[in-house]
Amino acid sequence: MSEKPLPYSDRIALGDSGMVIGPMAYGCWRFADTDVRTATARIEAALEAGMSLIDTADIYGFDGDSGFGDAESLLGDVLAATPALRQRMVLATKGGINPGVPYNSTADYLVSACEASLRRLDTDVIDLYQIHRPDFLTPAHEVAAALTALRASGKVREVGVSNYTPAQFRALQAHLDFPIVSQQPEFSCWQVDPLYDGILDLAEETGTVVLAWSPLAGGRLVSPKADRSDNDPKLLALIEVLDGIAEDYDVDRAAVAFAFLMAHPAPVVPIVGTTSPARIRAATDAFRVELTRRDWYDILEARLGAPMP
Ligand SMILES: NC(=O)c1ccc[n+]([C@@H]2O[C@H](COP(=O)([O-])OP(=O)(O)OC[C@H]3O[C@@H](n4cnc5c(N)ncnc54)[C@H](OP(=O)(O)O)[C@@H]3O)[C@@H](O)[C@H]2O)c1
């Protein structure tokens, strides 16, 4: 019997506020240091490709010395130059990383960070405001109070977390009277921890959307062999399996790596990070990849370096 391909979710509700996002998102981490025209071309390519959630953070653009807020400011300039783009996107940003501190989720800090993000992004409301990384020193009830105040004042529509463990998520959720709508872990067919650490199960339990950061392992999965310093045998084995499937569908390896994530029922939305409009468009080749259950486990087994038990 031929196997049925694994299904993808194509319109994904973000909480119960009516916001719906596409099956892939676009991220602005590598966004700074360019001009408004180039940045606009990337955002337009992403929106046209159905990547309706645009993810950024106040820290993006920081190079260790300066640049805090640069990626948000550039996106703000894009929106100022072409205001119609704002209505076409679900605008997501993050706060809570404070260079040199390094994490701060105290109520005063989060509220002022969010207000600064609003100014840089040149917008009245942030659709999804995420805590970038857990701050071990701020109690969950204080983080919740800040998020509640931001939501009540209309500065943010929904809230999410990034790099939180399931237990940290639950502790924060216990102090909120509205749901956290998203989690943002690192997840790729190279970084498979979310399959095992409870993040994806938590999404199925609570209805949160999983936004997968670095879905190509920050480029490691796609860089040409000669450029890779580490030629890890497991990475090479994984690449071989991805390439075999890519050949069957006449797509590139990246498309198979994105398809692997989207086949998970959590649902999982890969945040595409390329700076090239052509690669943004090519990412949607992932929809032509009809992974079977066997393909999916072949990829996982290659990553683990062993058959499933
Ligand atoms: N929450 C967090 O802590 C966190 C951390 C990191 C990232 N993020 C989010 O995740 C997003 C994506 O992360 P990422 O940029 O590391 O994603 P990625 O997709 O894993 O890596 C993108 C890198 O791969 C390269 N690449 C080479 N061939 C490619 C191809 N065929 N298709 C796509 N990319 C290719 C890109 O280079 P070119 O630009 O030259 O194509 C780029 O340098 C970020 O923008 C950000 O929104 C969140």
Side-chain angles (χ1 to χ4, degrees):
M1 195 176 81
S2 71
E3 266 195 90
K4 274 201 275 178
L6 299 167
Y8 302 124
S9 311
D10 58 352
R11 283 171 56 80
I12 297 166
L14 199 59
D16 49 17
S17 61
M19 281 194 288
V20 171
I21 62 171
M24 299 179 120
Y26 182 66
C28 302
W29 183 28
R30 301 171 193 274
F31 207 67
D33 293 332
T34 193
D35 56 86
V36 176
R37 215 172 113 255
T38 308
T40 303
R42 292 176 193 163
I43 296 295
E44 282 177 340
L47 294 174
E48 276 155 27
M51 299 170 192
S52 48
L53 185 140
I54 304 293
D55 180 67
T56 188
D58 54 11
I59 187 75
Y60 292 169
F62 185 69
D63 62 7
D65 256 338
S66 61
F68 188 85
D70 275 8
E72 282 188 338
S73 295
L74 181 55
L75 185 54
D77 291 345
V78 167
L79 295 175
T82 316
L85 292 176
R86 178 66 185 91
Q87 302 311 316
R88 294 171 59 196
M89 69 175 65
V90 169
L91 179 57
T93 194
K94 314 179 199 76
I97 298 184
N98 186 3
V101 171
Y103 304 146
N104 191 346
S105 286
T106 55
D108 286 352
Y109 179 81
L110 280 184
V111 169
S112 66
C114 180
E115 287 168 349
S117 290
L118 281 165
R119 282 192 295 276
R120 284 189 291 263
L121 289 163
D122 200 15
T123 189
D124 298 333
V125 62
I126 290 163
D127 298 320
L128 176 66
Y129 193 66
Q130 305 155 98
I131 308 293
H132 206 151
R133 286 192 177 267
D135 170 18
F136 299 111
L137 299 178
T138 305
H141 67 79
E142 184 173 344
V143 182
L147 294 175
T148 300
L150 287 170
R151 199 165 174 270
S153 63
K155 290 175 181 155
V156 315
R157 288 206 166 94
E158 297 288 0
V159 303
V161 293
S162 179
N163 304 299
Y164 265 48
T165 65
Q168 289 165 338
F169 176 106
R170 287 204 177 91
L172 178 59
Q173 183 63 77
H175 295 279
L176 292 167
D177 59 10
F178 51 88
I180 299 169
V181 302
S182 64
Q183 305 179 79
Q184 191 175 139
E186 181 178 7
F187 185 28
S188 65
C189 54
W190 180 246
Q191 171 47 273
V192 294
D193 287 357
L195 294 173
Y196 299 98
D197 63 13
I199 293 277
L200 299 172
D201 311 291
L202 180 65
E204 296 196 59
E205 178 189 325
T206 59
T208 49
V209 173
V210 175
L211 303 168
W213 67 260
S214 287
L216 302 177
R220 266 179 106 192
L221 286 169
V222 282
S223 61
K225 202 170 169 179
D227 295 352
R228 278 198 306 269
S229 50
D230 58 337
N231 286 342
D232 179 325
K234 280 191 190 154
L235 182 61
L236 299 182
L238 174 60
I239 284 173
E240 201 177 315
V241 170
L242 294 174
D243 283 348
I245 299 171
E247 204 177 313
D248 290 346
Y249 288 95
D250 194 21
V251 297
D252 66 15
R253 190 188 304 150
V256 182
F258 294 134
F260 173 84
L261 296 174
M262 290 192 292
H264 192 281
V268 177
V269 175
I271 311 176
V272 173
T274 178
T275 51
S276 144
R279 284 177 171 166
I280 292 171
R281 287 187 280 275
T284 61
D285 284 348
F287 300 118
R288 292 201 283 114
V289 180
E290 299 187 323
L291 289 183
T292 62
R293 195 166 279 276
R294 186 61 261 169
D295 293 330
W296 196 90
Y297 279 105
D298 280 344
I299 295 171
L300 182 58
E301 287 178 349
R303 167 60 187 105
L304 299 175
M308 301 309 290

